Amino acid sequence: MSVEQEKLLVVKDLATTFHTAGGDLPAVGGVSFDMERNQTIGIVGESGSGKTVLSRTIMGLQQRTNVTVTGSVLLSGFEMVGASEDDKRKRWGTEVAMIFQDPMTSLNPVMKVGKQIDETLRVRLGMSKVDAKARAIELLELVGIPSPQYRYDAYPGQLSGGMRQRVVIAIALACSPQLLLADEPTTGLDVTIQAQILNLLEELKERLEMSVVLVTHDLGVVATRTSRIIVMYAGRIVEIGSTREVFAGHRMPYTRALLESSPKVSNASHTRLTTIPGRPPNLLKLTDGCSFAPRCSYATDKCRVERPELQAADEPGHMFACWNPLPKTRRTVRK
Amino acid sequence: MTETREPLLKVSDLVVTFGMGRHQVAAVAGVSFEIYEGETLGLVGESGCGKSTTGKALMRIVEPSSGTIELDGTDVIAQKGKALRNIRTRMQMIFQDPISSLNPRRRIKDIVAEPLDCWKSVTGDERDVLISDLLTKVGIDPKVYGNRYARQFSGGQCQRISIARSLAMRPKLLICDEMVSALDVSVQAQILNLLEDLKHEYGLTLLFIAHDLAVVKNVSDRVAVMYLGRICEIGPADTLYEAPAHPYTKFLLGAALEADPDSPVHGEVLGGEPPSPLNPPSGCRFRTRCPFATEKCVEIEPQLEEVAPGHHVACHYPLTISKK
Amino acid sequence: MSNFPQFSVLEEAILVEKPEAKEPLGILFWICVGWIGLNIVGALFANVLPIENPLFQNYSFINSGPSLHHLFGTDDLGRDILARVIYGSRVSLSVGAGAMVIGFGVGAPLGMLAAYRRGRFDTILTNVMYVLLAFPAIIATIAILSFWTPRSLFKIIVVIGVASIPLVYRVIRTATLSVATKDFIIAAKVQGATDRRIIFRELTPNIAPIAISFLLIGVATVIALEGALAFLGLSVNPPTPSWGNMINEARTILQVNPWLVIFPSAALCLFLLCLNFIGDRLRHHFDVTEVKL
């Protein structure tokens, strides 16, 4: 137990089920992993893989009545699942904070960005008006916004997408959280701006000694910036391990398919991509077997009726869920 | 590659402006390029660089303010009324949002047949056979799904239906505007492969507009890079990616993330953000972010010049194209 | 050469799973439809139904409550209330239907055209409509109706119908705008479709559900407006019954004979409630975006 309390985040058998008109939808279906302090991990998956729901559930944002959350999320030893709104609110901002894909949705369009940071500081940390403003400008500077005194009075609509995302990061960092959940933080942004934001996150992580969870569909985003990767498919973890191991020594066919189907800058032009047929399954109609089986070329009858659990690979911490794993050879990603 | 072939599409000095008076913005500010028959030209750039507007101007969905567009010897800008509608069928366009490009309340058979029905070119049984054939070609079984409504399909499938529709009139030029950027990686690969297959089968020429450098590299023979309404570099895909001559191209490639933990860790990152097209910088449009900019860049706007066969760059100080 | 033919097989397996999850309309919806239908039948065939003449005054039955003879009772002149309520629905229904025919006949095509064409046509028309909307419609209607005498059903329909044009225009224009900016409209253009083809094939089917539900709610609003006008004595002249003027007349003898107010009010309320409910359900039912999770 004491070992677990050391850890920043321990997720155990976490399941999030939405009750919809069409039936129960297991968006996250039994996920377990843990996370050390000062670490960056990546959660990768296609749409419908449950990566966004997972990060929101960790944050404790699911409160609608038609949702059931089971399992456990221990955040620095505190159980988030089933905690009261008050208890959760106390931890939001100081323990855990979140940034979203579209910065416009998390910013109030009719309020000056500086005031939005101020508010957090004054309400949460009880700062005085003057202190809060000074700190807000400091934060804007920290996230790399040029001439922060001037930008303090800007409205979100007057800023570019990249600048807005920086403001959102500043708000998230206002109360120095231990853990930052970043849900597709760069998806809507241009490549050069994306690189700026990712560098900023990495730099802030070092400087503020926090941990970051990067949730993304883009393998390129996590390849060089995380120490561990979780690959999700149809609401479950199908492979987890150190970034290097997942890229070079993956055992789960889906991981390979995902890697091989993404086009690479280093490919010659007109390179034919390896594809997986079909598309991710309908979560309302999941079978007892492996959810990837219908698209998998290695699938056997066993795969279709019995779901594989995560099993340990050779390298410590590397696990995969597959009945017919790929052989233990190290593959090079580069062609 | 670039022998004395006649280009299929010839665009010169294309300008598209929006708004009026003080708020006038030149989204495309003088763009010239050619596409030869059977090739794929990739058009990359960041949002707001005018790449999509260029594509739409070619189809006359937005009206160009000046410049010329010539398709197979026909002046596209001079066309009006029925002739304009007619010339549009020789080029076709596929859009970014697969769901919104299909009418949710129509059956996919009718959607694919729409161009034929507009022109009454093929009717009756012949029409039905052609539609079934097109749907089969894009991987959708017409017998089972032909009568379903567009709203019942997923993004990838909608994009297949869009492709089938665009091929119905057997166009020569296909303009793909960010056609895979809304799709998941695994579905994206299917669509890209499908596009390659159909390109050969139908003898298509492609203008592939996208922001994703890796995707563009995989499909293109030649690539043009746009920045703030102008083309700053255009050349054969392989050489342009290997040895970019324009500083912007170099930074763009440096920022592209490779799905490989061993890839050289983040090269120099380009600072700043693109300036507003309302008020573009004097001289070279990239100079405000360019680390190599000099006085000359402020004063004189560089024009596209050939630095290697078929490789043109608009920069006063092109990066050396020797080794690397 | 490629694994391509494999697709159709797999796509098939996966596609079949995507159901069209449409909510059923529900029993209450059909009860409402039934009630509206009953009212329409009643209004159409009032003169062949086995009911009394609504104008016949029977002085031996004055202000009597409901009885076997007079199911809804009689009024202060001994007229049968049931008969008057059924005949009264004729006025309400004709005003509702007639005014909306005018409102939609003019407002809907203009709204669609303006939103599709945009440009100067749209700017001018929309501004004109906004100016008209700025007039308080009910006061304008009252003013016109008090000067345009003698009053007739036709005049009332025309005045209310014209007054509803800007509202219909605005709703249809907004609905069209949200569809006209979709890529499939551009795609149709790109394939060489004419404007007319785009308006009828692409736009109309997507606007129709919104238009229908607004039409139903519009009919309800107009009927309520007629009731209000009748209450002010500005609708059809007595003794012709309408739900509104029945309530108006009954007002003075409310204490003596409350039935006189209750039945026409109930008829009016139920009718409006049903229309609103049907309109609302239909909008939900046809909303394509809501079907998707």
Side-chain angles (χ1 to χ4, degrees):
Chain A
M1 199 63 212
S2 61
V3 183
E4 295 211 335
Q5 266 166 359
E6 298 272 270
K7 293 200 166 150
L8 175 64
L9 179 70
V10 181
V11 177
K12 220 173 211 152
D13 297 326
L14 188 66
T16 310
T17 309
F18 292 92
H19 307 294
T20 68
D24 283 359
L25 190 144
V28 176
V31 162
S32 306
F33 70 97
D34 46 41
M35 192 178 169
E36 311 281 346
R37 286 176 196 276
N38 304 331
Q39 206 184 26
T40 303
I41 66 165
I43 301 182
V44 188
E46 297 182 277
S47 55
S49 63
K51 56 188 193 305
T52 296
V53 178
L54 174 62
S55 58
R56 284 175 190 234
T57 310
I58 292 172
M59 182 84 180
L61 282 175
Q62 248 81 39
Q63 57 197 350
R64 296 206 325 242
T65 43
N66 53 357
V67 179
T68 313
V69 178
T70 58
S72 138
V73 175
L74 282 179
L75 185 70
S76 301
F78 176 79
E79 177 60 60
M80 289 293 274
V81 175
S84 73
E85 285 296 303
D86 265 356
D87 280 343
K88 280 194 273 186
R89 203 169 296 129
K90 256 183 239 156
R91 279 160 181 91
W92 288 339
T94 53
E95 293 275 338
V96 57
M98 192 163 187
I99 54 178
F100 302 94
Q101 175 180 344
D102 182 4
M104 218 42 195
T105 55
S106 38
L107 291 174
N108 182 344
V110 295
M111 196 171 168
K112 289 174 181 171
V113 294
K115 286 264 174 276
Q116 300 190 40
I117 307 175
D118 264 20
E119 203 179 53
T120 322
L121 293 167
R122 280 163 55 199
V123 174
R124 300 302 308 280
L125 304 179
M127 280 190 174
S128 73
K129 229 176 171 168
V130 184
D131 289 350
K133 179 164 182 176
R135 176 77 183 133
I137 291 174
E138 235 176 81
L139 281 166
L140 287 174
E141 197 167 6
L142 180 75
V143 296
I145 290 181
S147 47
Q149 295 90 335
Y150 170 69
R151 299 286 180 184
Y152 180 91
D153 287 321
Y155 289 95
Q158 297 168 319
L159 301 175
S160 67
M163 284 297 155
R164 267 183 233 145
Q165 196 57 286
R166 285 172 194 267
V167 171
V168 171
I169 294 174
I171 294 175
L173 298 182
C175 308
S176 348
Q178 299 282 304
L179 174 65
L180 182 67
L181 298 167
D183 184 8
E184 302 269 9
T186 58
T187 299
L189 304 174
D190 285 322
V191 268
T192 55
I193 310 297
Q194 164 168 291
Q196 290 174 10
I197 298 285
L198 289 174
N199 280 0
L200 173 72
L201 280 176
E202 199 170 323
E203 190 193 310
L204 290 171
K205 180 213 148 217
E206 291 299 322
R207 216 156 124 190
L208 306 174
E209 294 183 344
M210 58 176 182
S211 302
V212 178
V213 176
L214 265 180
V215 181
T216 179
H217 70 280
D218 188 344
L219 285 160
V221 168
V222 292
T224 55
R225 292 169 204 271
T226 56
S227 51
R228 280 167 73 73
I229 291 185
I230 294 171
V231 182
M232 287 188 75
Y233 188 78
R236 289 173 182 275
I237 295 181
V238 294
E239 187 148 15
I240 176 170
S242 72
T243 305
R244 190 158 293 276
E245 196 63 20
V246 169
F247 273 94
H250 48 263
R251 307 289 302 278
M252 168 75 191
Y254 175 67
T255 312
R256 183 169 88 174
L258 204 57
L259 279 165
E260 288 186 347
S261 56
S262 41
K264 289 164 195 66
V265 176
S266 46
N267 284 357
S269 59
H270 297 297
T271 305
R272 196 163 186 87
L273 297 162
T274 316
T275 62
I276 359 174
R279 61 192 177 96
N282 182 348
L283 291 174
L284 288 171
K285 304 271 166 82
L286 286 184
T287 57
D288 289 338
C290 171
S291 342
F292 187 59
R295 303 172 76 186
C296 182
S297 47
Y298 302 95
T300 59
D301 286 344
K302 189 180 185 189
C303 302
R304 283 181 266 272
V305 291
E306 199 178 335
R307 181 182 303 124
E309 295 300 326
L310 278 174
Q311 61 182 95
D314 288 351
E315 201 206 45
H318 181 192
M319 302 211 283
F320 59 89
C322 185
W323 292 124
N324 303 306
L326 301 168
K328 282 183 272 183
T329 46
R330 293 194 67 81
R331 277 161 288 270
T332 44
V333 188
R334 273 259 160 104
K335 300 242 157 126
Chain B
M1 192 95 227
T2 44
E3 303 133 44
T4 46
R5 278 191 296 171
E6 270 302 294
L8 176 72
L9 181 82
K10 202 173 165 181
V11 179
S12 30
D13 290 322
L14 184 72
V15 176
V16 183
T17 51
F18 293 122
M20 283 182 199
R22 265 189 331 124
H23 298 289
Q24 198 163 46
V25 178
V28 179
V31 159
S32 310
F33 60 89
E34 285 156 6
I35 307 181
Y36 296 93
E37 190 144 359
E39 75 165 352
T40 301
L41 176 71
L43 191 56
V44 278
E46 298 182 278
S47 57
C49 73
K51 56 186 192 303
S52 280
T53 312
T54 305
K56 286 187 177 133
L58 297 182
M59 295 291 314
R60 296 270 309 273
I61 296 169
V62 297
E63 284 302 317
S65 317
S66 65
T68 59
I69 303 168
E70 235 174 75
L71 179 75
D72 229 357
T74 320
D75 183 355
V76 176
I77 293 182
Q79 307 300 319
K80 271 187 198 139
K82 194 171 179 188
L84 172 63
R85 291 198 288 118
N86 200 349
I87 200 160
R88 275 177 181 156
T89 60
R90 287 158 65 190
M91 328 181 246
Q92 276 296 308
M93 190 159 183
I94 296 173
F95 302 89
Q96 173 171 10
D97 182 349
I99 311 273
S100 123
S101 33
L102 304 179
N103 187 339
R105 290 179 202 279
R106 296 191 71 184
R107 295 175 197 280
I108 63 162
K109 236 166 54 184
D110 297 331
I111 289 177
V112 175
E114 177 70 14
L116 303 174
D117 295 348
C118 283
W119 295 97
K120 310 256 184 312
S121 52
V122 184
T123 49
D125 287 348
E126 210 185 324
R127 166 187 177 274
D128 295 343
V129 171
L130 186 63
I131 299 309
S132 299
D133 187 44
L134 278 167
L135 282 172
T136 315
K137 286 250 162 64
V138 298
I140 287 173
D141 189 337
K143 280 194 217 76
V144 185
Y145 305 112
N147 281 321
R148 301 222 181 173
Y149 290 97
R151 58 173 180 261
Q152 289 168 277
F153 293 86
S154 70
Q157 291 156 345
C158 283
Q159 213 57 302
R160 288 166 189 270
I161 298 163
S162 283
I163 294 174
R165 171 175 64 184
S166 69
L167 295 179
M169 293 296 283
R170 291 205 156 249
K172 296 202 116 173
L173 177 70
L174 192 60
I175 300 171
C176 309
D177 186 5
E178 297 272 14
M179 70 177 284
V180 294
S181 54
L183 305 176
D184 274 322
V185 190
S186 65
V187 180
Q188 173 178 302
Q190 295 169 7
I191 299 290
L192 289 175
N193 283 353
L194 174 65
L195 191 69
E196 283 283 280
D197 291 344
L198 294 173
K199 186 194 156 190
H200 290 296
E201 195 173 339
Y202 282 78
L204 295 168
T205 305
L206 297 185
L207 174 62
F208 194 91
I209 303 170
H211 71 278
D212 188 322
L213 292 149
V215 170
V216 169
K217 175 74 181 294
N218 269 261
V219 299
S220 308
D221 298 299
R222 289 192 305 136
V223 172
V225 183
M226 275 185 88
Y227 185 77
L228 215 62
R230 295 191 70 113
I231 289 179
C232 56
E233 183 163 7
I234 182 167
D238 291 331
T239 40
L240 187 136
Y241 273 63
E242 225 158 85
H246 196 285
Y248 177 62
T249 316
K250 185 179 167 244
F251 281 111
L252 206 56
L253 286 167
L257 299 162
E258 193 76 310
D260 177 2
D262 296 324
S263 70
V265 178
H266 0 157
E268 262 180 279
V269 168
L270 184 60
E273 303 203 350
S276 158
L278 260 175
N279 193 10
S282 64
C284 174
R285 293 179 165 236
F286 184 56
R287 68 164 170 87
T288 49
R289 296 171 83 189
C290 183
F292 314 115
T294 63
E295 275 301 307
K296 190 181 174 192
C297 302
V298 180
E299 281 153 19
I300 306 161
E301 176 154 23
Q303 300 301 319
L304 277 176
E305 268 163 49
E306 193 155 30
V307 287
H311 191 166
H312 299 256
V313 181
C315 180
H316 295 309
Y317 308 102
L319 306 167
T320 41
I321 315 197
S322 50
K323 56 217 175 250
K324 202 186 175 186
Chain C
M1 103 204 160
S2 68
N3 54 353
F4 178 52
Q6 211 185 330
F7 275 138
S8 29
V9 184
L10 275 149
E11 289 278 316
E12 195 172 313
I14 294 157
L15 256 174
V16 174
E17 290 172 14
K18 196 173 177 185
E20 268 248 82
K22 250 188 188 172
E23 260 180 87
L25 287 164
I27 184 107
L28 204 55
F29 173 84
W30 293 111
I31 292 176
C32 287
V33 171
W35 180 249
I36 300 288
L38 202 69
N39 271 274
I40 292 172
V41 169
L44 285 177
F45 301 107
N47 35 0
V48 292
L49 288 177
I51 49 173
E52 279 191 45
N53 181 341
L55 305 180
F56 173 71
Q57 305 180 353
N58 183 348
Y59 293 109
S60 48
F61 280 102
I62 285 177
N63 285 337
S64 73
S67 65
L68 266 184
H69 246 282
H70 301 283
L71 285 178
F72 284 11
T74 54
D75 67 2
D76 51 339
L77 296 174
R79 295 176 296 196
D80 182 58
I81 298 180
L82 175 63
R84 287 182 66 75
V85 165
I86 291 176
Y87 274 91
S89 71
R90 283 187 160 183
V91 174
S92 299
L93 264 57
S94 347
V95 171
M100 280 298 107
V101 165
I102 296 176
F104 270 79
V106 181
L110 283 180
M112 270 174 79
L113 218 57
Y116 177 65
R117 279 272 159 80
R118 305 302 306 272
R120 199 177 298 165
F121 175 69
D122 180 37
T123 314
I124 295 173
L125 199 60
T126 304
N127 280 315
V128 169
M129 290 295 179
Y130 278 153
V131 169
L132 291 178
L133 272 176
F135 281 124
I138 188 140
I139 293 178
T141 322
I142 289 170
I144 294 169
L145 282 177
S146 24
F147 287 108
W148 197 13
T149 47
R151 280 190 293 281
S152 70
L153 190 58
F154 174 74
K155 285 180 188 170
I156 293 164
I157 289 174
V158 168
V159 170
I160 298 181
V162 170
S164 72
I165 291 175
L167 270 173
V168 177
Y169 171 85
R170 191 173 63 171
V171 168
I172 298 296
R173 179 176 172 271
T174 316
T176 312
L177 271 184
S178 70
V179 180
T181 46
K182 290 268 164 67
D183 282 343
F184 67 81
I185 301 292
I186 304 178
K189 237 183 245 182
V190 162
Q191 278 132 29
T194 55
D195 284 351
R196 201 162 57 151
R197 198 178 163 90
I198 292 175
I199 287 175
F200 285 111
R201 293 281 174 118
E202 313 285 344
L203 280 179
T204 313
N206 282 289
I207 297 162
I210 304 170
I212 289 170
S213 63
F214 182 66
L215 176 73
L216 292 173
I217 291 165
V219 168
T221 315
V222 166
I223 289 178
L225 182 63
E226 188 277 333
L229 288 174
F231 192 76
L232 296 170
L234 288 171
S235 187
V236 287
N237 291 324
T240 314
S242 91
W243 289 342
N245 71 17
M246 285 174 74
I247 300 169
N248 181 31
E249 285 168 19
R251 183 168 51 124
T252 48
I253 49 163
L254 190 61
Q255 267 128 339
V256 187
N257 187 357
W259 300 110
L260 208 43
V261 162
I262 288 171
F263 286 114
S265 304
L268 182 65
C269 281
L270 263 181
F271 195 79
L272 300 191
L273 209 63
C274 287
L275 276 180
N276 277 312
F277 185 77
I278 294 172
D280 211 45
R281 286 299 307 166
L282 283 180
R283 195 174 49 76
H284 268 281
H285 189 71
F286 285 117
D287 197 344
V288 183
T289 51
E290 255 177 271
V291 174
K292 290 189 193 129
L293 191 76

